[in-house]
Amino acid sequence: MIIYFYKVEEPYGCFSNFSLHDISLHGQYWLTVEHYYQAQKFVSADERLVAAIRAVATPQEAAKLGRDPNHRIRADWEAVKIPIMREAVLTKFLTHTDIQAILLATGDRVIVEDSPTDYYWGCGCDRTGQNHLGRILMSVRQEISQRLARG
């Protein structure tokens, strides 16, 4: 059985980057993974925008700022965005053991972000997308399982 997730209020909504599960990375507090991820686009390119994204009240606002085509994204973004996302997702599930249990309970099932519009992070409307967020979640699940097995 494939596990599909998308909206925060739906089953497995805690897998969404918009879920209200805070993280601390590199000495800074972030309200959501979405806040962190969107802000990282502008590290070394626009530090004021990084701070602005960190300060907004909702992940929707963070996404809007981070996706604004008028802002200049850091030059290495395409090379670093997957490792940045993975680090944030791993931190989220290591920090919040309640949702870590939900992730681990998925066993070895395939996890898919059921985004109708995102063919990179999700599966897109026709389910042919690359599903990078689902792949990261499965990788994080495996890493946490291995850490717990080692004790």
Side-chain angles (χ1 to χ4, degrees):
M1 182 180 104
I2 297 174
I3 293 171
Y4 291 98
F5 74 95
Y6 184 54
K7 295 188 177 185
V8 172
E9 64 277 4
E10 294 174 353
Y12 299 103
C14 63
F15 294 175
S16 167
N17 293 331
F18 283 60
S19 73
L20 297 177
H21 293 91
D22 61 322
I23 59 170
S24 290
L25 269 172
H26 311 293
Q28 288 193 307
Y29 170 86
W30 301 88
L31 186 61
T32 67
V33 168
E34 190 67 16
H35 281 78
Y36 178 78
Y37 175 78
Q38 293 297 339
Q40 297 314 297
K41 293 178 179 180
F42 308 103
V43 168
S44 74
D46 188 343
E47 291 300 326
R48 286 186 318 199
L49 188 54
V50 171
I53 292 170
R54 194 165 149 260
V56 296
T58 69
Q60 291 80 4
E61 291 173 89
K64 185 178 179 185
L65 278 173
R67 293 173 183 159
D68 184 333
N70 296 314
H71 299 304
R72 191 171 58 85
I73 294 175
R74 61 194 268 184
D76 65 346
W77 183 241
E78 289 303 312
V80 300
K81 67 184 181 182
I82 288 180
I84 283 171
M85 180 71 83
R86 189 181 188 287
E87 179 184 34
V89 171
L90 176 62
T91 300
K92 172 180 162 178
F93 285 94
L94 288 173
T95 303
H96 301 279
T97 54
D98 56 334
I99 62 170
Q100 180 187 112
I102 295 168
L103 179 63
L104 294 175
T106 63
D108 61 357
R109 289 180 281 176
V110 173
I111 300 172
V112 176
E113 184 189 28
D114 198 15
S115 169
T117 57
D118 193 331
Y119 285 79
Y120 185 81
W121 294 110
C123 66
C125 68
D126 62 2
R127 299 204 165 148
T128 62
Q130 297 176 61
N131 189 38
H132 283 290
L133 183 55
R135 293 174 190 215
I136 286 172
L137 285 159
M138 292 181 284
S139 165
V140 163
R141 177 182 66 197
Q142 181 178 11
E143 181 174 336
I144 292 172
S145 293
Q146 289 171 343
R147 286 183 183 199
L148 292 172
R150 280 186 244 127

